[in-house]
Amino acid sequence: MIQIKDLHKSYKMGKNSLHVLKGINFNVEEGELVAIMGSSGSGKSTLLNILGMLDELDEGTYTLDGVAIKNLNETKAAQYRNKFLGFIFQSFNLINYKSAAENVALPLYYQKVARKERQEKALKYLTQVGLKEWANHLPSELSGGQKQRVAIARAMAAEPKVLLADEPTGALDSTTSYEVMDLIQKINDQGNTILIVTHEPDIADMCKRIVHLKDGVIIEDKKIEQVRASKYV
Amino acid sequence: MFSRDNWREIFQTIQKNKLRTFLSGFTVALGILIFVVLFGFGNGLINTFQLFFEDDAQNIITFFPGQTTKPYKGYKSGRQIEFDRSDLADIEKNFPMFLEYVTPRIGRTYLTKFKNESNNYSTRGVAPSHQFAEKTIIMKGRYLDKLDILKKTKTAVIGRLVERDLFGQKDAIGNYIDVGGSVFKIVGVYQDDGGDDEERRIYVPYTTLQLIEKNNDKVDQIIVAFKPELGYSGAMALEKSLSTFFKEKKYINPNDQNGIFIRNVAEGLKQTQQLARVLQLIVSFVAFGTIIAGIIGISNIMVFVVKERTKELGIRKALGATPKSVIGTILLESIFITTISGVLGMLIGIAILSSLDKTLEDFFITDPFIDLSVAIFATVVLIIFGGVAGYIPAKRAARIKPIVALRDE
């Protein structure tokens, strides 16, 4: 699903250039649940941003579902993001004046899906994350865990190839974190490919594979026995 | 770009951000409102100035006899100049292509009596064309005519207030009044926009007055109406040649300023109109300043709006919004708000102007109004600049990378 070869990325900070990713080689198959781990500054968020086409790579190749991601203009990048990727952020990033259902329907709006179908789909995914009754509530009326579940529903609404989660449990307490992870595992069970950036080992243990980044290189890439979050819920 | 979905999205944004919408809408509406009202006031000012002159005809040059102060051709200084009927004929003969009409005016004040009522009124001996010079409006009966002049009839046209004073509610036409010892038949009653004084006058044929006064030939003033197409410079030139003509005929030193006095309405009118125009210019300047202030206001708000929405736009971009759709959303929203509030401000302004009507007459503002085209033009200018003001920050926002926008907590 994802092939990355020899990926380099550096940031210019005035005269100095900060080499963040120093040659990453990395493949993800369909249906995998991968945790990208590393301390802060290891380059894990940069890697995720490049995977999410939110940032551009300097060197190397990135192929997503057989499509080379290269030299995209803004419009093209926006279309690819919409078609291929679903994002889950640490700070949820819901639009605060839109109801849960409207937030979930937003990616579909940019896919030019008809309004009625959007509403149906939004409700379907909200049901899937267990928030059917909260469809008409504003984000400010939801708890942190509920907000993240709305965000997950939104990420799935466009039926993307890959879900990218940047510290999805970073702003949640551990009980809520496990609930969210349980949801993510269930989505993965349905065959969705998911990448999670985290620095929490217990969250990483709930994935099927852990990629360890340090100083811009992968120092460890191992398949693990998944810990089911449902045990803790 | 203009699909129903887009509009729904825009309406939702507007509805859910009422303060923001109100602020930007208010700026625009207020800008247009003040512009319309100020501009209208400027026009009202001009109206007032024009009214000052509307009471009398504006193509009038009046000649008053004076006393010479310089000796000339054997005549001593201090000689009283007098006009007579031959002067009228000479003017008509020498300047026919420039003139509409010429009328003499003899001014007297006589005790006027009807039955037990009496009062002193200014009585004027005039020719029929004097009606146009003074813009006398006949309410009933008729004005003096050529036959009256020729036959020196004892007919009088009296002012509305003279009739009220002497006759009360009764009809004066056909009655006889005693004017300074002679009996005149009233043939007409007039009104005049020049105020109460002008409606307390009595007009009689000038030839009749001359007859009563020992059958002399004198007239007090000569009123010359030039053809309006002469324009300002033509009127000034005519004034000059008439003055030369009189001075020559009456043996007045060409450099004597006091032999003949001249009042040219065109001159005063021009000066006043210039003053009004300068005032209008100043008012327009202030009004356009308001529009510019409005443009700056809406620009500021749009910059703020885009800044405030940076994160939201970042989220939208991460979810697949193209730069075009981001710009489109912001632009449509800003144009929508400015259009609605601009038109609203314009309509309120026009409503205020038309409701004012004559209430501000004490402040020299009469019937303030604004051409609809000017008002619409100003509104469109503000809408366009509102759009431009929205476009620049929107374009910048659309270029921001989603990660940068999302980091902006």
Side-chain angles (χ1 to χ4, degrees), chain A residues 66-131:
Chain A
V67 179
I69 307 300
K70 204 175 149 191
N71 296 333
L72 296 178
N73 63 26
E74 286 267 11
T75 309
K76 205 84 192 147
Q79 283 164 354
Y80 280 10
R81 273 200 293 275
N82 190 265
K83 202 163 122 193
F84 290 132
L85 301 167
F87 291 92
I88 301 160
F89 301 96
Q90 179 177 0
S91 51
F92 325 128
N93 282 337
L94 299 175
I95 291 175
N96 54 23
Y97 61 82
K98 285 182 177 289
S99 71
E102 285 163 348
N103 263 292
V104 174
L106 199 57
L108 300 169
Y109 168 73
Y110 288 115
Q111 280 185 354
K112 311 220 184 300
V113 174
R115 182 177 161 79
K116 204 158 173 217
E117 199 184 333
R118 286 207 305 267
Q119 284 167 336
E120 278 167 11
K121 272 197 176 174
L123 213 60
K124 176 182 144 196
Y125 283 101
L126 274 177
T127 311
Q128 211 171 23
V129 298
L131 289 176

Side-chain angles (χ1 to χ4, degrees), chain B residues 45 48 359-366:
Chain B
L45 222 50
T48 309
T359 52
L360 287 177
E361 242 171 354
D362 289 346
F363 303 100
F364 296 105
I365 291 165
T366 311

Side-chain angles (χ1 to χ4, degrees), chain B residues 55-85:
Chain B
D55 148 40
D56 296 331
Q58 289 163 15
N59 56 333
I60 295 295
I61 306 173
T62 311
F63 292 88
F64 304 84
Q67 235 175 12
T68 58
T69 50
K70 283 179 181 152
Y72 188 62
K73 285 190 175 172
Y75 289 91
K76 285 187 208 163
S77 69
R79 181 171 50 99
Q80 178 66 46
I81 301 296
E82 286 182 322
F83 291 143
D84 55 40
R85 225 185 298 180

Side-chain angles (χ1 to χ4, degrees), chain B residues 108-330:
Chain B
R108 299 285 181 269
T109 301
Y110 287 127
L111 183 68
T112 304
K113 289 186 246 176
F114 176 72
K115 290 184 179 167
N116 296 325
E117 303 288 337
S118 70
N119 207 343
N120 277 308
Y121 294 107
S122 144
T123 303
R124 283 174 166 180
V126 298
S129 51
H130 190 274
Q131 183 185 1
F132 311 118
E134 194 66 48
K135 285 201 179 169
T136 305
I137 303 153
I138 288 294
M139 292 166 71
K140 51 189 180 184
R142 62 172 178 88
Y143 201 73
L144 305 171
D145 58 23
K146 270 187 186 161
L147 230 67
D148 292 326
I149 303 297
L150 220 63
K151 297 199 164 168
K152 306 181 184 178
T153 57
K154 290 193 170 174
T155 47
V157 177
I158 63 171
R160 183 173 64 89
L161 296 177
V162 176
E163 184 190 33
R164 209 176 64 185
D165 289 351
L166 298 181
F167 294 88
Q169 299 300 319
K170 276 180 279 181
D171 190 358
I173 301 275
N175 283 302
Y176 291 88
I177 49 171
D178 180 337
V179 179
S182 305
V183 176
F184 283 79
K185 186 184 182 187
I186 296 170
V187 294
V189 178
Y190 73 88
Q191 62 182 41
D192 196 301
D193 287 340
D196 286 2
D197 277 355
E198 303 216 339
E199 293 184 331
R200 282 214 162 82
R201 282 189 187 140
I202 297 171
Y203 289 112
V204 297
Y206 75 99
T207 47
T208 313
L209 264 192
Q210 287 173 335
L211 183 69
I212 291 170
E213 294 179 347
K214 296 168 195 161
N215 199 12
N216 68 18
D217 199 23
K218 307 274 178 276
V219 298
D220 285 357
Q221 299 155 26
I222 294 177
I223 297 168
V224 173
F226 56 86
K227 288 186 173 155
E229 53 267 33
L230 289 184
Y232 174 70
S233 49
M236 295 311 285
L238 179 67
E239 178 196 320
K240 210 170 168 187
S241 35
L242 276 170
S243 158
T244 314
F245 166 77
F246 274 128
K247 282 178 174 174
E248 219 165 274
K249 190 180 170 192
K250 305 282 179 191
Y251 306 109
I252 303 168
N253 188 318
N255 298 319
D256 192 343
Q257 299 298 316
N258 295 313
I260 288 174
F261 298 101
I262 301 163
R263 194 178 65 200
N264 193 341
V265 177
E267 200 171 1
L269 179 69
K270 183 168 173 149
Q271 279 167 0
T272 316
Q273 276 176 341
Q274 266 170 348
L275 178 68
R277 245 178 240 128
V278 168
L279 283 172
Q280 166 81 331
L281 212 66
I282 294 171
V283 171
S284 311
F285 183 73
V286 174
F288 274 107
T290 320
I291 289 286
I292 290 170
I295 290 171
I296 293 171
I298 185 83
S299 309
N300 273 332
I301 289 167
M302 285 317 292
V303 169
F304 169 74
V305 163
V306 170
K307 183 90 194 146
E308 190 200 46
R309 290 180 74 179
T310 304
K311 187 168 178 191
E312 181 202 325
L313 298 175
I315 298 170
R316 283 175 184 269
K317 287 191 80 177
L319 296 179
T322 57
K324 215 171 104 184
S325 80
V326 169
I327 294 174
T329 309
I330 293 178

Side-chain angles (χ1 to χ4, degrees), chain B residues 40-41 43-52 54 193 350-369:
Chain B
F41 277 9
N43 281 333
L45 222 50
I46 288 185
N47 279 348
T48 309
F49 279 110
Q50 245 147 24
L51 274 183
F52 284 159
E54 247 172 32
D193 287 340
I350 291 173
I352 288 176
L353 284 185
S354 52
S355 75
L356 282 175
D357 204 28
K358 289 191 191 304
T359 52
L360 287 177
E361 242 171 354
D362 289 346
F363 303 100
F364 296 105
I365 291 165
T366 311
D367 290 332
F369 73 100

